[in-house]
């Protein structure tokens, strides 16, 4: 082969070698690029990154920690190597933010305090103290003056009892509703009758002297004296289904009724109001308990007369 032919053949071979070398370089660059993508996207443990980058990741990628929302850095010893990294936007760990469940417990219930009956002394001193109380006259016509006395040792206030009795006798449904009887509480001077509140033993003594047997249970009316048994004043009566203050009104109206001339009466019929002059402590006989002589319309509540 001539020299010129040899030069042309060498030139063609050189161009072929340069083209082959350029292909290898291009393939190498592509491989490096793919490797970089794989390294960037794949994280330790085989899990892809999600969420907000931590400050440590920023530093490893050449970014400033201030440019991202940094999450607290947890030491490797405190994190299991098999668990994926928690996103920085996740709230604090359950051990610090989750409220422990409240164990239901039975609510303590308290029963209302039992109502206890007042203690009634069986006997007292036998000496009576007059209530230092007085008031205006109530009613019209014959105004009867009265005072209130309480036995020593009874345990109640004479003044309080006197004011309670005064309000009973002045009630519009009381004896003043008849238009010709009136009453006035006084603490001294001449009186038409006395209301004594006495212990059961003293009640028996006073009433027994007049031939009345109260057996420590009931009241009586002796001459100008109305004797109220302390037991009934404090406890009322099992036959009377109203409050004890209503039964006190029955006691006063019944006994004062005797003072102004009324005798005993009985039940006028089943379902009707019992007359105040009925001895309701002995049973209602079909009537309804009642403590007033007159009804709301001013009609006298009356029953058949009995001894």
């Amino acid at each position: 082969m001539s020299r010129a032919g040899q030069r042309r053949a060498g030139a063609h071979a050189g161009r072929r070698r340069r083209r082959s070398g350029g292909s290898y370089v291009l393939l190498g660059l592509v491989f490096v690029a793919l490797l970089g993508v794989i390294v960037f996207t794949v994280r330790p443990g085989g899990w892809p990154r999600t969420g907000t980058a931590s400050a440590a990741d920023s530093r490893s990628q050449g970014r400033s920690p201030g440019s991202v929302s940094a999450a607290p850095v947890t030491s490797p010893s405190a994190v299991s190597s098999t668990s994926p990294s928690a996103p920085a936007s996740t709230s604090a760990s359950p051990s610090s933010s989750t409220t422990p469940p409240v164990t239901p417990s039975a609510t303590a219930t308290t029963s209302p305090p039992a109502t206890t009956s007042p203690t009634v002394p069986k006997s007292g001193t036998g000496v009576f103290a007059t209530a230092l109380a007085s008031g205006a006259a109530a009613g019209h016509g014959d105004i009867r003056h009265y005072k209130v006395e309480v036995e020593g040792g009874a345990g109640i206030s004479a003044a309080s009892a006197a004011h309670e009795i005064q309000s009973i006798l002045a009630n519009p449904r009381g004896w003043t509703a008849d238009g010709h009887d009136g009453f006035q509480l006084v603490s001294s001077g001449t009186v038409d009758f006395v209301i004594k509140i006495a212990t059961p033993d003293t009640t028996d003594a006073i009433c027994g002297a007049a031939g009345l047997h109260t057996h420590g249970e009931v009241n009586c009316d002796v001459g100008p004296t109305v004797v109220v048994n302390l037991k009934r004043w404090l406890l009322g009566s099992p036959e009377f289904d109203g409050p004890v203050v209503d039964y006190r009104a029955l006691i006063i109206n019944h006994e004062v009724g005797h003072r102004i001339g009324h005798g005993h009466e009985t039940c006028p019929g089943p379902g009707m109001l019992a007359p105040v002059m009925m001895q309701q402590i002995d049973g209602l006989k079909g009537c309804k308990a009642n403590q007033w002589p007159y009804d709301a319309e001013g009609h006298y509540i009356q029953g058949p007369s009995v001894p």
Side-chain angles (χ1 to χ4, degrees):
M1 179 183 296
S2 66
R3 290 175 180 251
Q6 291 177 349
R7 282 196 295 270
R8 282 194 297 273
H12 286 303
R15 282 196 297 271
R16 283 196 300 271
R17 285 192 298 271
R18 284 195 297 272
R19 282 198 296 270
S20 299
S23 299
Y24 293 143
V25 170
L26 180 60
L27 288 174
L29 290 174
V30 170
F31 177 77
V32 171
L34 290 175
L35 182 61
V37 170
I38 293 172
V39 171
F40 180 78
T41 57
V42 177
R43 291 294 184 260
W47 291 91
R49 280 284 187 180
T50 58
T52 306
S54 67
D57 292 334
S58 300
R59 285 194 297 270
S60 67
Q61 296 171 20
R63 289 178 289 176
S64 169
S67 64
V68 295
S69 300
V73 179
T74 307
S75 63
S77 61
V79 181
S80 170
S81 61
T82 59
S83 301
S85 300
S89 59
T90 306
S91 60
S93 63
S95 62
S96 61
S97 64
T98 304
T99 303
V102 178
T103 303
S105 59
T107 302
T109 57
T110 55
S111 301
T115 303
T116 57
S117 300
T119 302
V120 181
K122 188 172 183 293
S123 61
T125 64
V127 178
F128 289 83
T130 300
L132 301 178
S134 59
H140 304 281
D142 187 7
I143 305 298
R144 292 174 171 84
H145 297 86
Y146 67 96
K147 63 181 178 179
V148 175
E149 297 178 352
V150 174
E151 183 183 2
I156 64 173
S157 164
S160 295
H163 287 304
E164 187 169 354
I165 291 169
Q166 180 188 22
S167 68
I168 293 169
L169 292 176
N171 191 285
R173 294 183 60 185
W175 289 117
T176 59
D178 63 11
H180 55 79
D181 284 301
F183 308 94
Q184 183 174 10
L185 172 66
V186 297
S187 59
S188 61
T190 303
V191 296
D192 295 286
F193 62 92
V194 179
I195 298 176
K196 292 179 179 286
I197 301 178
T199 58
D201 281 355
T202 302
T203 297
D204 287 349
I206 297 174
C207 298
L212 302 173
H213 304 290
T214 50
H215 306 289
E217 293 292 334
V218 296
N219 318 289
C220 76
D221 173 63
V222 179
T225 304
V226 171
V227 183
V228 177
N229 191 319
L230 179 65
K231 186 174 184 178
R232 300 278 72 85
W233 183 262
L234 293 179
L235 303 182
S237 166
E239 295 292 335
F240 192 90
D241 57 6
V244 69
V245 292
D246 288 351
Y247 190 74
R248 290 173 186 172
L250 173 60
I251 293 173
I252 298 303
N253 285 322
H254 182 93
E255 300 303 338
V256 171
H258 286 310
R259 300 286 350 113
I260 61 178
H262 291 272
H264 286 142
E265 300 173 7
T266 190
C267 178
M272 300 179 69
L273 290 176
V276 79
M277 295 311 299
M278 178 180 174
Q279 293 178 300
Q280 296 182 38
I281 194 170
D282 292 335
L284 294 174
K285 299 176 173 61
C287 271
K288 296 178 181 177
N290 167 56
Q291 69 270 27
W292 301 113
Y294 291 82
D295 63 21
E297 286 74 39
H299 302 124
Y300 180 59
I301 300 170
Q302 188 173 13
S305 297
V306 293

